[in-house]
Amino acid sequence: MKSSDYNQKYDAAVAYYEKEDYYRAVSLFEDIENIYKASEKGQKIQYYMSYCYYNQGNHVLAGHYFRNFAMRFPYNSHAEECEYMAAYCSAILSPETSLDQTYTVKAIEEMQAFINKYPNSTRIEECNRIIRKLRNKLETKSFEAASLYFKIGDYKAATVAFKNSLDDYPDSPYRENIRFLLLKAWYLYAEKSVARKQQERYQNCVNEYFALVAEYPSSEYMKEAKKIYESATGKITKKQ
């Protein structure tokens, strides 16, 4: 670290890196990063530093360096690899469903951008697998958030949230559940509504019943759904 011989520092940093001593390696690379900034050696330093941070478990900084490498050196032989790794770091940073999903959305966008840019890459299958996993996390969060409104009795918010979930994630594994809970939420919302609003909301419940029947005629919820439907149509007829 105290040496003024930058070539010696570079060689030592590479030696530490190859021994998997990433903490010592990155300290030396950081010290000479700006010295070699405009050279071929500078590209190698950026590449090494990306993996130093990655192997230290610092995926935020690793993602930054991988992303920066791919942007600054698009014709480097490691550009594709680094662009994938930047997206992969975002995927690693994707938290559990109860937390903010900014990194999940970012990872999906970056993985899709990688697929679009490198359609013949050997990493495409892995990218698609990761995207499916991340999308499932968003689908789960969307369903759980809507279900929470339903559980606490905020049926108006539940109808909006369930509808948005269907629109945002049409292939959601929770689609059948959402269809049923949406019609039930409309019914319970109508029950709690003022008289002049009830007929419209019961009608929405009826509409959702037909949507459920059309998509899932053998749904496990059909027995209960039919009871709700009959009650809703009865209340509509009574008010006419």
Side-chain angles (χ1 to χ4, degrees), residues 188-207:
L188 295 171
Y189 182 30
E191 289 278 273
K192 295 175 67 175
S193 299
V194 295
R196 62 187 177 85
K197 293 283 187 178
Q198 285 184 317
Q199 185 160 333
E200 176 190 350
R201 291 165 186 170
Y202 282 128
Q203 185 58 53
N204 287 334
C205 171
V206 170
N207 294 342

Side-chain angles (χ1 to χ4, degrees), residues 3-150:
S3 173
S4 59
D5 186 335
Y6 299 122
N7 286 322
Q8 184 185 28
K9 283 189 175 184
Y10 175 82
D11 291 340
V14 173
Y16 280 130
Y17 179 89
E18 289 174 347
K19 292 177 182 176
E20 299 183 4
D21 189 343
Y22 302 114
Y23 291 93
R24 284 190 174 91
V26 80
S27 295
L28 289 171
F29 283 133
E30 286 173 343
D31 197 47
I32 60 175
E33 181 181 4
N34 289 327
I35 303 298
Y36 294 103
K37 197 169 186 177
S39 68
E40 184 180 344
K41 194 173 281 186
Q43 295 185 33
K44 292 180 180 178
I45 289 171
Q46 292 285 310
Y47 178 78
Y48 283 130
M49 288 180 72
S50 301
Y51 274 104
C52 280
Y53 291 124
Y54 176 80
N55 287 303
Q56 287 176 14
N58 189 340
H59 298 113
V60 173
L61 208 48
H64 168 75
Y65 270 85
F66 282 126
R67 202 170 290 111
N68 193 50
F69 184 98
M71 288 173 61
R72 288 179 60 196
F73 314 118
Y75 301 110
N76 188 285
S77 60
H78 294 294
E80 178 188 326
E81 171 194 352
C82 286
E83 199 155 343
Y84 168 79
M85 287 302 297
Y88 185 65
C89 284
S90 294
I92 290 174
L93 290 165
S94 171
E96 59 186 71
T97 55
S98 61
L99 301 176
D100 179 75
Q101 296 299 307
T102 299
Y103 272 112
T104 307
V105 173
K106 183 178 182 181
I108 291 172
E109 290 173 349
E110 289 181 336
M111 286 287 176
Q112 189 59 57
F114 179 88
I115 290 170
N116 295 342
K117 189 172 181 178
Y118 302 101
N120 299 316
S121 173
T122 58
R123 299 180 173 90
I124 296 298
E125 187 176 340
E126 179 65 6
C127 287
N128 284 323
R129 185 192 68 78
I130 292 171
I131 287 174
R132 286 194 297 271
K133 182 178 179 181
L134 294 172
R135 281 186 63 83
N136 184 258
K137 186 177 286 188
L138 294 181
E139 290 161 355
T140 299
K141 183 175 180 65
S142 178
F143 174 68
E144 289 178 349
S147 296
L148 181 60
Y149 286 125
F150 185 88

Side-chain angles (χ1 to χ4, degrees), residues 180-192:
F180 170 68
L181 289 173
L182 184 54
L183 83 86
K184 191 171 183 178
W186 273 117
Y187 181 84
L188 295 171
Y189 182 30
E191 289 278 273
K192 295 175 67 175

